[in-house]
Amino acid sequence: MFESDAKNTSVHIQTYDRFGNQCRRGGGRFCITVEGRNLAKAQFEAKDNNDGTYTLVYSLPRPGIYQISFAYFSHGKFKTFKTESVTVFPNTHSQVHKIKLALEHLPPPTKSLSLVIRSRDNIYGESCTFFLQNWPHLAAASLRIQFGNEPGIDAGGLMREWATLLCDKMFDELNGFWRPPHPNSPYMMINPSVVDVHHDYYHHYKFAGAFIGKIIAGNLQQSVNRLSFKRDIFLDVPFDPFQLSLMLGRQDEMSFTLEDIKDMDKETYEELKALEEMDEEDIDSLEFTFQTTKEIIGGPPIDTPLKPGGAQITLCKANVKEFIQLKVRHNFYHSIEKQLRAFQEGFYLIIPARIAAIFTEDEIFSLLCGDKNIEISTDWALWGVKPEMMVLWAKELRWLAEVISEYTPEEKQKHLMFQMGQKRIPRGGWANSGAKLTFKPHATDSLPSACTCGKELKLPHYTSKEMLKKQLMTALYNFEGFAFS
């Protein structure tokens, strides 16, 4: 994909014969097809360079997503040689404009699908089965969630709670499809060994991709009008932006380097960095060859060559950079290539690649995960509290502010789950969260309650800060479903 700002853009095209050899002569027949909206005033010109190559020059003055195909007449028919997705941005490339452009090309929901989770303990299995059974309809369907016989109508809160709980289960190491790169890592990576034990592994990664795509597509809809916060969902996924872009196929395996994995797999980065900085004598003493070890679930590890004949190539100072590059490509691409393809198939079913390409890696990450820094504001105006209520409930608000300021990171996430049904807030912080705070004047020293659909915390009257903290913590650590709504 390449971007255009309505100036003339040129594309160089090399043609090939039926045997795969480059054509060396021109004079052939060709045609150009363009698909997209806003084609008025678009201009195209193709030049035959008389050496088997052609230069296509085009101007697309109006914002939009276009598909340009170049076809060459060969053996009685036109054969498409090159197809490019071209995005023309408005004069300003703000994320809001990108979102509006994306929504113009995403299909609007045409039907609603109801997912009933009969057992919270089996939320992953039931959700995966549901997605696979409804695969043809997922892209153009909105989801509605119901938890078994629990009361509650999904006005956004149930969807957020389902997505958050499913995310936790999906990336749980015990599930087998993802694993941390090392024991103390906050990130999870695709498990390369899963193909040896799970014959249906492809479906699970396809499901994961579709689930992530569905969350981002929903947040795109919500981002257009921030006056409506009911159905936005931000997940605490164990990825960093580079890892997510790699999983979406946006990183060329030939281009990413050791520095790219610094945050994702710090331990491997430090090991390979130390190897790179060793002197010749120390490297020779290792007696390494161009091989790596592949872990086998339930069996002994096996050696895998990093390149043809790798077992016979000894590591030395002269080839250490090549070894490191091949090791990085193997660990983060070749060993998980099949799983990556499955994830991408699921994701791009929901958000086609030409639309996802509008956004940078950081923008996609923020649409999925929101703000990394979880700060719960005690500016009560951001909670929708009116000035007269701040005066009337000044004592309780002062105590609540003190309790919130003492939160641990775990307690912050517990509070968000209790009030909103998710562990993250949108980028931009609490002001964009849609949080509300209301009061229950006739409920003294009782447990606080919440309405996750409206992101509303309902605070009773308390006689002391200690009682407020005790009751709030009881609610945060013991709620499930709508028992505390």
Side-chain angles (χ1 to χ4, degrees), residues 103-123:
L103 290 176
E104 288 179 4
H105 294 82
L106 278 176
T110 57
K111 65 182 300 183
S112 177
L113 296 174
S114 296
L115 168 56
V116 179
I117 301 299
R118 292 174 174 79
S119 170
R120 286 174 175 262
D121 293 335
N122 192 32
I123 190 171

Side-chain angles (χ1 to χ4, degrees), residues 42 77 132 144 195 389 418 447:
K77 63 180 180 179
L132 296 177
R144 290 292 184 270
V195 297
M389 297 304 291
F418 178 70
L447 290 172

Side-chain angles (χ1 to χ4, degrees), residues 173 179-188 263-267:
E173 185 179 4
R179 70 175 189 184
H182 51 85
N184 297 320
S185 173
Y187 300 118
M188 298 295 286
D263 295 328
M264 181 169 52
D265 189 348
K266 186 177 181 180
E267 189 171 283

